[in-house]
Amino acid sequence: MKKHWVALLAASSLLLPVTASSEDSAKLLTQAAGSFRIIDEAMTSAIAGEIEPSTPAGTAQAAAGQAAANKPDDVEMAALYYYAEQKQDERVAAEAARLRLKFPQFEMPQDLYLPQSARGIDETVLWQLYDKSDFTGIDAEIIRRKTETPDWAPTADFTEKLTRRKQRVLMTEAAKDNKWADVIQAGGSIDAVTETEADLLWLLIDAYAQTGMKQPLADVYRGILLREGDKRLPDAVLVTTLQKAIRDFPATEVQAAMQKLAVTPALQSGLQPVAFDLMRKTVADFNADEKQTAPLSDDQLAPLKAAVPPKAGDMALLGWYYLKIKQPAVSAQWFSKALVIQADASNAKGLYLSLAAQNLEEEANKVAATYLQDLSGDPEFLMNALSLRFAKPDMAVIDEKIVASYSTTILQTLNADHAEILAWYAYNSKQYEASSAWFQKAVDWKVAPARVKGLALSYLRLSQKPEFAALQERYGVTYPDIWDEIREASPPKGRAATAVIKPRGVIQANYFRNFQAKRYAACINDLADLRSRGQLTPDAAQIGGWCYLGLGRLAEARAAFAEGLAAGGQVQADAAYGTALTLLRGRLTDDAEAIIRAYPLNVERDREIRVEIYFQRARATFDRKQYQKTLDALNARASLVAEPADLSQLRGWAYYHLGNKQVAKQVFQRLNDHLSDAGVRRGLVATSQTDTRR
């Protein structure tokens, strides 16, 4: 009691008004949370010799003294803490008013009503772990301190910043891995109308755009762009957001937003690059929209034509524009210029189509032959381009490279129509073995009367009577009208032609090649072509499920796998496996377990799915503080596979929270015996300190 009175007397001697002017301490207050770290770094630098030796020591001392003068010291604060301890709220208020009068930047301490034993604990270690984003270490350190001082809690400043740091790390790491659903889940608490950290809002924009969630995407854009007054975000943020909007919205909508926002000369100037990109977007939207037919004005196109230096992308936009408005001669000029700067498949396609639209078939064929390698990346287009020569055998002999490329693209795309074209080309040039092989491929992929007829004719010319009889028996009832025509048909005249190679089995379908190369969007486009031709098999549909899963489009992946669940056999088993993985990616653990109960998997896949199910349950229940359920999930997982160190740490903390400190210590001790890890050591320290207090 005597100590309190001494402190009060000391405080009362400081009630005289302060006449010296004091420096604004706002910056000091905002940096107070990290002050220990700043001191530590300064001391480390001084020891390492990084601080110039000529720096006057008095300067630092003067700065420290000035900082101390701007806030109350322990003596000044003694009365405030005494009244709080005695629950004398009126005197606490009066003392706080006195301190604010003397120290204008004074704020009530957060530990005012904590027991004396819980006050003043240095958070330096926590901030060091925070800088490393070591969240496991932070949790362990907090548990250790609470064990020593049960009434202690981290400051509100640290807790708030820790929550935000966790959110930022989760969102950025998920975005790096293209796990857009995880980005959305981690950013669920962000309010687009009030959030000030624009990069987090941009992560949400990218996530919503990639997952096709249009309404939330629009809400985030509006939250950034439509703020007013002092809530308005900086111009640089608005400019970057509008640049993103060009990707996600029609040009007219972006233009309307720009007109509303460009209220200052500075922002108008900053939006000039956006305006140019928007003009490109306007032309691109026109080219892509079949409903837009009225040509654009010359003023809209002039900047693209006059750009210095000229860009191949701008020339290509103009080429596609003039091709759409049926001025192929002009479009050919722009594509030719673009090819000089950038020889790629897109510009070659544009030039080919521009020439073909003018009925300049020979020139178009020369383009296809010249850019054969570039166009091979789009087998569907190349196949259509090359087919004109094969459908017109009276033209000059086709180069053998063209024949080989056409054959390859047919096998890559599984296109029955083009297999039939090549088969007739071979048949009419009396290459009957090749024609029968290609007709057989066409029939296998999609049966049609003309293909059956061609195959039957090839068998007749080869004198393969058993094969002809089997074919007639199979399709005689289905196509009764073709058999008389087949028997009466005259042999072909045998026009000059390049040798046609029979189909090779080693060439993979293009959709499968794209899947293996992780070109998932291209894989999906290939499968869409197969579906439109009625050639999509259940096996191919399952590949589509994996491609959608690779893009994080979970709903579409699940729909693709659902087609195989009704197929039976191996296709059904593969579909069940894919469906379970898709559900687990969406954290739908119970649904995934229901799938493998309804559609049993082989032992290896069943184990893989269950291991992931129990892992997700362990993590989820631990976060919900359901520690016994965490142990149940870990035990179930451990019965299937060995437990990794990170999950063993989770096991240790689950035992710790359940009060079974001795078992927790044993877990951490076993880990520490063969693993050098800071998290393990923290767990061992926490459990050991608990034991020593018993």
Side-chain angles (χ1 to χ4, degrees):
M1 193 67 174
K2 182 177 180 182
K3 291 182 180 179
H4 288 303
W5 283 112
V6 171
L8 285 171
L9 289 172
S12 64
S13 65
L14 298 175
L15 291 175
L16 296 175
V18 179
T19 57
S21 61
S22 61
E23 184 180 345
D24 181 14
S25 61
K27 292 184 179 180
L28 295 175
L29 288 172
T30 57
Q31 295 173 356
S35 59
F36 291 112
R37 287 176 292 155
I38 295 171
I39 294 170
D40 286 346
E41 292 169 1
M43 292 177 67
T44 302
S45 299
I47 293 171
E50 296 175 3
I51 297 177
E52 292 291 335
S54 60
T55 301
T59 303
Q61 293 175 356
Q66 183 64 43
N70 289 326
K71 60 181 180 180
D73 56 17
D74 291 342
V75 175
E76 289 279 7
M77 298 291 291
L80 186 67
Y81 278 105
Y82 173 74
Y83 293 138
E85 187 177 335
Q86 299 299 315
K87 310 297 184 186
Q88 298 181 27
D89 294 339
E90 292 183 0
R91 293 201 172 191
V92 168
E95 183 63 16
R98 180 189 73 80
L99 291 171
R100 289 193 188 93
L101 182 64
K102 187 173 182 180
F103 304 98
Q105 301 299 329
F106 168 77
E107 292 183 3
M108 294 289 279
Q110 296 174 355
D111 62 353
L112 182 60
Y113 291 97
L114 290 179
Q116 189 170 3
S117 60
R119 297 179 202 153
I121 296 180
D122 186 2
E123 287 187 336
T124 303
V125 174
L126 290 176
W127 284 110
Q128 290 172 344
L129 296 170
Y130 171 90
D131 287 338
K132 300 175 184 177
S133 296
D134 184 358
F135 304 130
T136 302
I138 290 172
D139 292 341
E141 180 65 14
I142 289 174
I143 291 171
R144 184 188 67 78
R145 292 194 179 195
K146 282 184 171 292
T147 301
E148 295 177 347
T149 310
D151 293 329
W152 175 84
T155 60
D157 177 60
F158 179 81
T159 301
E160 180 180 347
K161 290 179 179 177
L162 175 62
T163 301
R164 174 46 64 98
R165 172 64 70 91
K166 286 182 177 180
Q167 184 177 52
R168 174 177 290 279
V169 169
L170 287 173
M171 292 179 70
T172 53
E173 289 183 351
K176 287 178 183 177
D177 295 334
N178 294 326
K179 296 180 178 178
W180 302 113
D182 292 346
V183 173
I184 294 170
Q185 183 177 9
S189 63
I190 292 178
D191 185 353
V193 177
T194 59
E195 178 59 55
T196 58
E197 296 186 42
D199 60 326
L200 297 182
L201 292 170
W202 292 333
L203 285 177
L204 278 179
I205 283 176
D206 292 340
Y208 287 133
Q210 291 293 332
T211 53
M213 301 176 68
K214 295 182 179 180
Q215 186 58 52
L217 176 67
D219 291 341
V220 177
Y221 272 113
R222 283 195 292 268
I224 297 174
L225 298 175
L226 302 184
R227 302 185 195 185
E228 297 180 351
D230 57 354
K231 295 181 180 179
R232 183 184 174 98
L233 292 171
D235 289 353
V237 173
L238 300 180
V239 169
T240 301
T241 304
L242 285 169
Q243 287 174 326
K244 284 183 172 291
I246 291 174
R247 173 196 66 188
D248 298 327
F249 295 96
T252 53
E253 295 186 26
V254 181
Q255 182 66 48
M258 287 177 59
Q259 291 174 350
K260 184 172 183 177
L261 290 171
V263 295
T264 64
L267 187 53
Q268 290 173 2
S269 175
L271 286 174
Q272 287 181 355
V274 182
F276 205 88
D277 289 341
L278 186 61
M279 178 197 57
R280 293 189 177 101
K281 172 74 169 177
T282 300
V283 179
D285 286 349
F286 175 86
N287 293 342
D289 189 352
E290 295 180 357
K291 296 179 181 178
Q292 292 192 53
T293 56
L296 302 175
S297 67
D298 292 338
D299 292 340
Q300 290 176 290
L301 300 174
L304 283 180
K305 297 178 179 179
V308 178
K311 294 183 178 180
D314 293 343
M315 294 176 179
L317 280 176
L318 291 168
W320 293 113
Y321 168 77
Y322 283 110
L323 187 60
K324 180 180 179 180
I325 64 172
K326 296 181 171 43
Q327 296 185 29
V330 180
S331 69
Q333 294 174 8
W334 284 110
F335 282 122
S336 297
K337 293 178 181 179
L339 279 168
V340 173
I341 301 175
Q342 184 173 319
D344 61 14
S346 178
N347 292 329
K349 291 177 192 176
L351 182 55
Y352 176 92
L353 293 173
S354 300
L355 295 170
Q358 301 175 71
N359 294 319
L360 300 173
E361 294 183 1
E362 278 299 320
E363 291 83 346
N365 287 327
K366 288 180 182 178
V367 171
T370 302
Y371 297 98
L372 199 62
Q373 188 61 40
D374 295 309
L375 293 171
S376 64
D378 188 348
E380 194 76 33
F381 178 87
L382 180 59
M383 184 174 52
N384 289 322
L386 299 179
S387 65
L388 294 177
R389 296 295 302 272
F390 293 91
K392 295 184 177 182
D394 293 334
M395 296 177 68
V397 176
I398 305 172
D399 187 279
E400 60 181 11
K401 292 182 180 179
I402 300 294
V403 176
S405 181
Y406 189 46
S407 303
T408 300
T409 55
I410 292 171
L411 293 172
Q412 289 175 347
T413 56
L414 308 178
N415 195 300
D417 295 331
H418 287 277
E420 180 185 346
I421 291 174
L422 184 59
W424 284 117
Y425 176 82
Y427 177 81
N428 289 324
S429 59
K430 295 187 176 182
Q431 301 181 59
Y432 300 129
E433 289 189 1
S435 69
S436 66
W438 282 106
F439 276 126
Q440 185 64 64
K441 278 290 183 186
V443 169
D444 290 343
W445 290 336
K446 189 177 182 181
V447 67
R451 293 160 195 170
V452 174
K453 179 179 178 179
L455 183 56
L457 287 170
S458 299
Y459 287 152
L460 284 179
R461 306 309 168 211
L462 291 168
S463 298
Q464 294 179 345
K465 295 180 180 179
E467 288 82 356
F468 179 89
L471 188 69
Q472 185 175 15
E473 181 180 358
R474 182 174 181 183
Y475 293 107
V477 176
T478 307
Y479 306 120
D481 299 332
I482 67 174
W483 302 100
D484 290 339
E485 298 174 4
I486 292 171
R487 291 186 178 89
E488 296 173 0
S490 301
K493 296 179 180 180
R495 297 183 180 92
T498 306
V500 176
I501 303 172
K502 292 193 295 185
R504 291 167 290 167
V506 296
I507 297 178
Q508 292 178 329
N510 202 53
Y511 73 85
F512 194 76
R513 292 169 62 243
N514 282 325
F515 165 64
Q516 289 186 315
K518 298 184 179 180
R519 296 188 293 263
Y520 299 126
C523 168
I524 290 169
N525 290 335
D526 294 335
L527 293 170
D529 290 336
L530 288 177
R531 186 185 293 275
S532 67
R533 299 197 300 264
Q535 292 180 225
L536 186 66
T537 63
D539 285 334
Q542 300 315 293
I543 297 297
W546 295 113
C547 291
Y548 281 123
L549 187 59
L551 292 172
R553 294 160 64 173
L554 302 184
E556 290 160 299
R558 187 174 178 181
F561 287 129
E563 293 185 33
L565 288 177
Q570 187 59 44
V571 173
Q572 183 185 75
D574 292 341
Y577 175 62
T579 301
L581 289 177
T582 303
L583 292 167
L584 288 174
R585 179 75 69 84
R587 303 291 190 270
L588 299 174
T589 313
D590 293 340
D591 291 343
E593 189 172 42
I595 284 291
I596 63 174
R597 283 200 304 265
Y599 304 94
L601 306 178
N602 63 36
V603 175
E604 183 178 350
R605 285 181 169 181
D606 185 82
R607 181 189 299 112
E608 177 189 351
I609 297 298
R610 291 186 186 279
V611 164
E612 181 63 21
I613 287 173
Y614 296 137
F615 167 77
Q616 290 192 12
R617 281 183 178 161
R619 293 298 313 181
T621 54
F622 187 87
D623 292 340
R624 294 195 296 266
K625 304 186 186 307
Q626 297 172 335
Y627 301 116
Q628 186 56 55
K629 290 185 178 180
T630 300
L631 291 176
D632 293 341
L634 289 174
N635 290 336
R637 186 185 185 281
S639 69
L640 299 174
V641 294
E643 186 169 274
D646 58 338
L647 289 185
S648 290
Q649 289 191 53
L650 195 71
R651 178 185 295 276
W653 289 116
Y655 279 121
Y656 180 92
H657 286 297
L658 287 171
N660 199 340
K661 312 285 195 310
Q662 186 60 37
V663 176
K665 180 180 178 181
Q666 293 173 2
V667 172
F668 287 119
Q669 183 63 62
R670 284 197 301 271
L671 287 169
N672 192 59
D673 289 342
H674 62 83
L675 180 67
S676 178
D677 181 83
V680 172
R681 289 193 292 273
R682 292 187 194 100
L684 193 58
V685 169
T687 53
S688 298
Q689 288 179 343
T690 302
D691 291 340
T692 58
R693 292 182 56 176
R694 286 185 172 181

